[in-house]
Amino acid sequence: MSSKRKSGPKGSEIPIGEWLRQIRAERVQYVGSKDHDGPPDWIVEYEGETVAIEVCLLHDSAGWGKSREVFAFERELAKLIQEESVRGAEARQWHARCEYDPRESKSSIRKQEGWKSKARKALRTPGPGGGFQLLCPGSRIGRGVILDLSPASSKGSFAGVSVDRGDIVEATLTERIIAETRKKTEKVRNGRRAKSYHRWWLVLDDEVLIAPIEVLEASEQARIATMVQNSVDRNLWSKIILVSRFQAVHSPPKPPKWFWAPWEDDRHPPLPRA
């Protein structure tokens, strides 16, 4: 008689499992596997309530995607930022992120000597930081590849590499949250365990904003929250939460993950402050 073997968490389920422990959820249990009966991915106890957690990767399909080339570029850039941050007394500490124009060819990041030289110079430049171009003027399209730096009081951080969406990040974030919420609502409703749990959270592993919500103005945050709250199935989801992949350069220890809930039903225990 053969038995089905459950697999462990994978992909976005892993950082969300870490986040659940960060907010001090109790009895954190992974219940997802390739053989399971549908959602949820995690079951937890939170402030006396049993909560079913469904996980979703929130991403923008535009841009380079997470190809081997992009992963290599991100890894090398993170390594360079780390090296610069521990050079000695003269080392500057930055919150860093890198954005690329989606019209730019991925081949533009293959020549490491060029962009590494520009990145190193940017990290050593006196002043308040700002945006630094990593590509040569004659070989780029639009905004090219920008390393964005802002001063850090002590330890720096690197928020990764993402597509530059300019002024449309608010619209993109709203559209993706609503679209993924609708997909997950249907998936939960059609699953065998839909009625097994009275409390459901949708936790989104964010690859759209990839930074603390403070990068958006309060008015932008309010508009996103209003659009999401008017579009979600309030009878199903008691919370919809973005958890950021924003990672500090210095580790260990790992920094706490940033999170934001554009929808929380106030009849249930609130999340702690991010």
Side-chain angles (χ1 to χ4, degrees):
M1 182 177 178
S2 63
S3 60
K4 293 181 179 179
R5 182 172 59 88
K6 285 189 176 181
S7 59
K10 56 191 178 297
S12 293
E13 296 164 350
I14 297 172
I16 299 309
E18 295 170 350
W19 173 78
L20 290 168
R21 294 178 178 90
Q22 173 186 313
I23 64 169
R24 299 190 177 181
E26 299 178 328
R27 298 183 183 178
V28 178
Q29 179 185 3
Y30 179 68
V31 295
S33 79
K34 63 181 180 180
D35 298 319
H36 75 5
D37 295 326
D41 297 304
W42 296 91
I43 299 295
V44 304
E45 293 288 329
Y46 184 75
E47 298 292 334
E49 293 187 346
T50 300
V51 183
I53 311 291
E54 182 63 6
V55 174
C56 178
L57 175 62
L58 190 73
H59 64 89
D60 182 9
S61 57
W64 293 348
K66 290 296 181 181
S67 67
R68 182 180 302 176
E69 213 163 19
V70 177
F71 274 123
F73 171 59
E74 188 173 60
R75 183 173 59 249
E76 289 300 313
L77 181 55
K79 181 180 177 182
L80 186 150
I81 293 171
Q82 170 67 21
E83 290 171 352
E84 287 296 313
S85 72
V86 296
R87 280 195 309 123
E90 73 276 19
R92 303 201 63 196
Q93 302 299 319
W94 300 104
H95 291 308
R97 62 178 178 174
C98 186
E99 294 184 336
Y100 61 89
D101 192 313
R103 296 170 294 177
E104 189 70 52
S105 169
K106 278 186 287 188
S107 63
S108 65
I109 56 175
R110 286 178 189 161
K111 294 182 179 180
Q112 293 190 13
E113 297 82 4
W115 67 256
K116 280 188 174 181
S117 174
K118 290 180 172 59
R120 192 169 283 110
K121 182 178 178 180
L123 292 161
R124 298 181 183 184
T125 299
F132 295 84
Q133 179 60 246
L134 299 186
L135 302 183
C136 295
S139 63
R140 67 174 183 257
I141 300 172
R143 293 191 71 227
V145 179
I146 299 289
L147 179 63
D148 190 72
L149 304 176
S150 58
S153 57
S154 55
K155 292 182 178 180
S157 61
F158 179 47
V161 177
S162 62
V163 63
D164 175 17
R165 287 170 293 274
D167 295 332
I168 65 169
V169 66
E170 176 191 334
T172 301
L173 194 59
T174 303
E175 183 272 328
R176 297 308 302 155
I177 293 172
I178 292 173
E180 294 302 332
T181 300
R182 286 173 177 165
K183 286 182 187 176
K184 286 295 185 176
T185 299
E186 183 177 3
K187 184 175 181 180
V188 170
R189 293 288 191 209
N190 293 335
R192 296 183 182 180
R193 298 189 285 190
K195 296 181 179 179
S196 298
Y197 305 99
H198 299 294
R199 303 286 177 265
W200 287 82
W201 295 359
L202 176 59
V203 185
L204 303 163
D205 177 21
D206 172 43
E207 281 192 354
V208 175
L209 188 59
I210 323 182
I213 193 63
E214 286 78 10
V215 301
L216 297 179
E217 294 181 358
S219 58
E220 294 176 308
Q221 297 175 37
R223 285 193 294 269
I224 293 171
T226 297
M227 290 291 291
V228 171
Q229 291 167 21
N230 290 338
S231 302
V232 303
D233 187 337
R234 298 190 186 209
N235 293 321
L236 176 60
W237 306 108
S238 59
K239 298 184 193 299
I240 294 178
I241 308 148
L242 271 72
V243 175
S244 179
R245 286 176 174 265
F246 186 77
Q247 292 291 327
V249 171
H250 297 266
S251 62
K254 276 190 174 182
K257 299 180 189 301
W258 166 84
F259 58 94
W260 177 56
W263 163 243
E264 275 195 276
D265 190 331
D266 59 15
R267 294 175 297 179
H268 305 296
L271 291 172
R273 292 180 63 87

